[in-house]
Amino acid sequence: MQADDARYLKRKYKGGSLDVHPTEKALVVQYEVEATILGETGDPMLGERKECQKIIRLKSLNSNTDIASLARKVVEECRLISPSRLPEVEQLLFYLQNRKKSAEKKEKKQIKPRDLTPFEGMELDEEANINSIDDYVELLYEDIPEKIRGATLILHLARNPDNLEELLQNETALGALARVLREDWKQSVDLATTIIYVFFCFSSFSQFHGLITHYKIGALCMSIIEHELKRYDLWQDELQKKKKADILSKEYEKALKKYHGLLTKQEQLLRVALYLLLNLSEDTRTELKMRNKNIVHLLVKTLDRDSEELLVLVVSFLKKLSIFLENKNDMAEIDTVEKLAKLVPCEHEDLLNVTLRLLLNLSFDTGLCSKMVHADLLPKLTSLLEDEAQRQIAMCILYHISMDDRFKSMFAYTDCIPQVMKMLFDCGEERFDAELISFCINLAANKRNAQIMCEGNGLKMLMKRALKLKDPLMMKMIRNISQHDGPFKNLFIDYVGDLAAQIGLKEEEEFVIECLGTLSNLTIPDLDWELVLKEYNLVPYLKDHLKPGSAEDDLILEVVIMIGTVSMDDSCAVMLAKSGIIPALIELLNEAPAYLIDLMHDKNAEIRKVCDNTLDIIAEYDVEWGKKIQSEKFRWHNSQWLEMVENRQMDEAEPFMYGDDGEPFLQNGDILERPDLFYSADGIIPADGAISPEFFTDFQNGDLLGPQGFPSSSLTDGYGQTGVTPARPATAYGFRPDEQFYYGYTASW
């Protein structure tokens, strides 16, 4: 409707219910607006009815306020409240005056990032009307105060989701807001905050994100945040200078008061701008753009603030970003963990919870885990085990820390172990939480921790629970305790019979493995193993499970270790030898090289290292196995190159692959018969290929090598240079594709 038709619009207000605001010192008035469009003759043509709400904030209300006078003032100034309701207003004000502050504080703690509350400066002395949007846009072309008023009126409209579609169609209004923000944001924090808040209302709905991108509001918000953080640093520097220079402190107090005022407004701006960016980051492509503009560093820098509402938002944003490796690495480069450590613990429950969740995401990185320990988070997290709301997350972080052997011993100097032991025993007959028992297993791997666990009736209670529930994880914890040498190992003597009894029974294999492992750790001189083997008839069990394929590898391994433990007793060794166990052990040993060859290329570097070293030892003592091992290593390290040569032979039939008679050199694809095809080693080997790969093993092992692995002087020319620079290394034996070869070459595939 046009402005000049306003005389044909009739509004009627009808008062409704009256109540107190749940969290603020304010009254909430519910009312109904009936708008009727009248014709030229005054007859109603079209009508619409809408329910509305008005909040009357009572900032001056305190314990000394005259309730009767305040109630009269509220009724006089608010036309929606009938004078006849004055007693009701007095009663509500009296309730607000005496409402417990603790309840208000509790409500304040529950503010979450998604609940962006109104800020100071949003109050208006008139009600915004969607039909007057053109008038509000006109104000955006005036001076700063008028621009703020116009933007605030539009903001009041935008806070009602029902108006967003209509505002979306008004390109003039949105374009004007974007232009004013771009041109004038440095002139007024209030203006910038209000306009960004308008676009934030749109950002709460994914279908409007394209609109915000169109006006480049996200990039502008990034620039504004960066600028405001720099201003914050300047304010602090100036404040410190005045504090040092002002002996009487009057000027400093004045500057400090001004600083707090500026800080409040700036934090309102930062909060709404960051919230808008958080909404936009639902699109990972947009989030990547933010990362390229250093969003992580800006957020971490904001962690220095004291505003709990702002910190909840910032930490939530960082938690969302931390699920991507690149963002996590950015956080690792700066003091993110150190700043987060200052927030643990804190009274704000939501802030504490989201901080712990961010730390949990970061704790998957071992380097950041180390930083957490150095930031003194270990005792802080331990204290949170008593908080039922935060216990689970705190325990998961502690579990990650306990995985590092460097930090296991540090738990002994906290209250952690008594707490987790109590939690274990409080579970009753229920299954333990996976996090709790896994954490205890890690802790038990340290000797001092194990001693604390065994204090009092600790070990007795653990054994009783493990044997009753047949829990393999709890038995694994007991097994870790049993591996440590010391006087407390003798405590296990009382439970040897109970453990041995489990082996003969048809229990779960995992549980039996842990029982066997625990018994194997009991290298106690006073223990009569011969009596144990006879009483529980364990020799047939041990012999039967040494047969290949009779059980899983883990169980066979534990059986072998058990045999090694009991064989320390001479009488047991004789008894086992007579039982025929020795041939079974030799048969297993004969299978070991093949098994090690399979593991030679395992993804785990430590496993590869052990296998390589073991295979080298086997190769030294067995010629046949040595050839097989060497051939396998040769094939593995040259597999891609061999495949390329074979493909060229078969597909392209190049001339050098054939002899003078036109017959191919290689029969049946046996590429290993022609080592001269693999190496460019002129002057070292003859061209007839008579030297096999064993020659290169000797070459690499140092027989023909000088310092730093280069050929000795007998293989160099008169100027100390080698006669030829080989196109490939002399041999790949002993190297992996990711390691450097001799002569400065690296594996390019």
Side-chain angles (χ1 to χ4, degrees), residues 233-243 252 255:
D233 292 338
L234 291 175
W235 291 344
Q236 286 194 316
D237 290 341
E238 292 177 3
L239 200 62
Q240 291 300 320
K241 290 177 182 178
K242 288 187 177 181
K243 185 177 181 180
Y252 170 71

Side-chain angles (χ1 to χ4, degrees), residues 376-530:
D376 203 27
L377 268 173
L378 193 58
K380 294 181 178 181
L381 292 169
T382 299
S383 66
L384 290 175
L385 293 176
E386 299 177 355
D387 185 349
E388 189 173 351
Q390 315 297 347
R391 178 183 299 160
Q392 196 77 0
I393 307 174
M395 187 179 298
C396 289
I397 302 172
L398 289 170
Y399 167 75
H400 285 163
I401 295 174
S402 70
M403 293 174 68
D404 195 321
D405 291 336
R406 295 175 298 169
F407 307 130
K408 284 185 173 70
S409 61
M410 300 179 70
F411 286 90
Y413 301 98
T414 68
D415 296 331
C416 182
I417 297 174
Q419 288 191 59
V420 295
M421 292 292 285
K422 182 178 183 300
M423 291 162 62
L424 279 178
F425 300 144
D426 287 345
C427 290
E429 296 187 1
E430 298 178 2
R431 284 282 179 176
F432 310 110
D433 290 337
E435 295 84 0
L436 174 60
I437 190 63
S438 301
F439 181 37
C440 291
I441 290 171
N442 285 355
L443 292 177
N446 175 265
K447 183 176 181 179
R448 177 58 185 148
N449 294 343
Q451 288 176 334
I452 298 174
M453 290 175 176
C454 293
E455 288 178 356
N457 293 325
L459 181 59
K460 180 180 179 180
M461 295 292 291
L462 288 173
M463 290 295 303
K464 182 179 179 181
R465 295 290 302 278
L467 295 173
K468 183 177 182 179
L469 300 177
K470 309 296 183 183
D471 191 323
L473 292 179
M474 176 160 272
M475 187 55 68
K476 184 183 288 289
M477 175 186 173
I478 295 171
R479 176 182 175 180
N480 279 358
I481 295 174
S482 69
Q483 71 183 347
H484 305 293
D485 295 326
F488 70 97
K489 181 173 279 193
N490 292 323
L491 297 174
F492 283 88
I493 293 179
D494 297 337
Y495 308 106
V496 170
D498 295 325
L499 292 169
Q502 307 303 313
I503 297 172
L505 302 175
K506 293 184 178 180
E507 301 291 351
E508 285 187 29
E509 190 171 279
E510 291 182 5
F511 183 70
V512 174
I513 287 173
E514 301 306 330
C515 291
L516 271 172
T518 304
L519 285 172
S520 301
N521 288 333
L522 302 183
T523 53
I524 305 172
D526 298 334
L527 185 57
D528 189 347
W529 278 113
E530 184 181 10

Side-chain angles (χ1 to χ4, degrees), residues 272-291:
V272 69
L274 287 171
Y275 209 154
L276 182 145
L277 293 175
L278 177 58
N279 287 346
L280 294 181
S281 67
E282 292 177 1
D283 186 342
T284 53
R285 293 170 298 179
T286 304
E287 184 176 309
L288 180 59
K289 293 178 182 178
M290 295 180 191
R291 179 186 178 267

Side-chain angles (χ1 to χ4, degrees), residues 111-156:
I111 295 175
K112 298 182 179 180
R114 294 288 177 188
D115 305 325
L116 190 57
T117 53
F119 53 87
E120 186 179 350
M122 281 183 58
E123 299 85 0
L124 284 173
D125 55 2
E126 65 176 290
E127 185 181 352
N129 191 326
I130 192 66
N131 296 318
S132 303
I133 184 66
D134 293 336
D135 295 337
Y136 306 156
V137 173
E138 288 294 328
L139 293 173
L140 297 177
Y141 293 90
E142 304 296 334
D143 294 331
I144 294 297
E146 286 74 19
K147 288 178 179 178
I148 295 175
R149 181 174 180 80
T152 305
L153 286 163
I154 296 175
L155 172 58
H156 276 254

Side-chain angles (χ1 to χ4, degrees), residues 346-357:
C346 66
E347 294 183 359
H348 197 291
E349 188 174 337
D350 291 325
L351 177 57
L352 177 59
N353 185 267
V354 74
T355 302
L356 291 176
R357 291 181 182 277

Side-chain angles (χ1 to χ4, degrees), residues 145-173:
E146 286 74 19
K147 288 178 179 178
I148 295 175
R149 181 174 180 80
T152 305
L153 286 163
I154 296 175
L155 172 58
H156 276 254
L157 295 174
R159 292 194 69 203
N160 184 348
D162 297 337
N163 294 328
L164 291 179
E165 287 286 355
E166 189 167 345
L167 288 172
L168 181 65
Q169 305 302 323
N170 196 325
E171 295 183 5
T172 303

Side-chain angles (χ1 to χ4, degrees), residues 572-637:
C572 284
V574 173
M575 182 171 60
L576 292 174
K578 291 180 179 179
S579 70
I581 276 181
I582 293 177
L585 289 171
I586 294 174
E587 181 63 24
L588 278 178
L589 195 60
N590 289 334
E591 290 187 3
Y595 185 67
L596 291 170
I597 288 175
D598 291 338
L599 289 176
M600 191 168 61
H601 314 305
D602 193 88
K603 293 180 179 180
N604 189 304
E606 291 299 320
I607 292 177
R608 292 200 306 268
K609 182 179 178 181
V610 170
C611 288
D612 282 348
N613 293 337
T614 307
L615 289 171
D616 288 343
I617 295 172
I618 294 172
E620 288 180 12
Y621 290 94
D622 190 298
V623 176
E624 292 300 320
W625 272 115
K627 290 180 179 180
K628 293 178 182 178
I629 292 167
Q630 179 187 341
S631 178
E632 175 59 26
K633 288 188 175 184
F634 186 85
R635 286 182 181 275
W636 171 256
H637 295 301

